[in-house]
Amino acid sequence: VCLSCNKPPSSTPPESASKPRKHGEIAAKKRPREREPTAPSVATQGPVGAGPRTILASPSNAVDLVSGVAAGGLQAVIADEIALASRADRRCIVYVGAPWCEPCKRFKAALVAGELDAQLKGFRFIELDADLDKQRLADAGYSMTLVPFFAAPTPLGGNSGRTTAGVPNKDSPMAPLAKRVAALAVTKVP
C-alpha cells in the first residue's frame, strides 16, 4: 500500500522482496539502470568525471535538470556540478527519484515542460536514482525514506540538512512541492 495514497503499488516489486514495495518506499536491492528517453530538445554536454551527463532544460531555459552524473564519490561529483551551475548562474538542488515513483515522473515532466519555471527559475537539479545510487547517497550524507527527495547541497557536495521529501498523495499538484523545494536554496553558492 502506498504511504501517500493508500493504494497498491503499480510497479512490480524486486524479485528478492518478500513483500511488495510501497509507493514512495525505496527498494533495498539495486535494479538495472532505467533511463527515460530524452526529448528532442535536450541539450547534451560532455562528460563530468567518468560519466556522460545530459541536461534537460525547460522551454524558456529557466530551470534545468542534470541526469547521468559521473560514477564515483558523490560529494565530489555534486561539488563539480555546483561549480558548473554557478558559472551558469544556477542554484543546485539534489533531486532523488525512482523510475517506479509516479510523483517523481510527474515532477520531472512538469519541470522539463516549463510548468514550474515561475517557482524554480534559476535552479539546476542534479538527478539521482534512489535505487541505483542508494549507497553513494548514503556515503555522501543524503539519507531518505521517501521519494521524491530534494536537498540543498553544501559547496563541497555534502548534504546541508535542508531537505524535503514526498507528496501528500500520488496525484498532488506539483506547484506546492516546487514551493517547498525553492525554499531549500535560500541563497546561491558563491
Side-chain angles (χ1 to χ4, degrees):
V1 176
C2 175
L3 299 173
S4 300
C5 64
N6 294 324
K7 292 182 182 178
S10 60
S11 62
T12 309
E15 302 81 38
S16 64
S18 58
K19 63 180 184 174
R21 180 174 52 224
K22 296 175 183 174
H23 177 75
E25 182 178 70
I26 299 171
K29 185 177 178 179
K30 291 185 178 183
R31 299 180 300 168
R33 187 175 263 312
E34 297 176 32
R35 290 280 179 204
E36 293 180 30
T38 56
S41 61
V42 172
T44 303
Q45 293 185 354
V48 172
R53 77 196 246 291
T54 303
I55 299 179
L56 302 174
S58 66
S60 69
N61 203 28
V63 181
D64 56 37
L65 179 128
V66 176
S67 58
V69 296
L74 195 54
Q75 273 190 272
V77 170
I78 292 172
D80 288 346
E81 289 294 342
I82 291 169
L84 290 170
S86 68
R87 286 185 227 139
D89 200 29
R90 301 277 188 187
R91 294 169 286 182
C92 281
I93 293 289
V94 173
Y95 159 59
V96 183
W100 45 263
C101 169
E102 290 302 319
C104 300
K105 291 179 195 177
R106 288 183 38 248
F107 175 80
K108 183 175 178 178
L111 188 74
V112 175
E115 296 170 16
L116 305 175
D117 283 0
Q119 297 98 325
L120 299 173
K121 183 177 181 180
F123 280 87
R124 172 165 291 167
F125 290 84
I126 303 168
E127 180 183 32
L128 297 159
D129 185 292
D131 295 329
L132 298 174
D133 296 311
K134 185 175 184 175
Q135 188 59 52
R136 291 193 323 154
L137 285 159
D139 292 347
Y142 294 92
S143 299
M144 74 218 61
T145 55
L146 293 173
V147 290
F149 172 83
F150 303 89
T154 66
L156 297 177
N159 186 351
S160 70
R162 295 188 318 267
T163 65
T164 190
V167 293
N169 65 60
K170 70 177 182 114
D171 297 319
S172 294
M174 292 292 108
L177 177 61
K179 185 176 180 179
R180 289 186 359 230
V181 171
L184 297 177
V186 291
T187 59
K188 287 191 282 188
V189 175

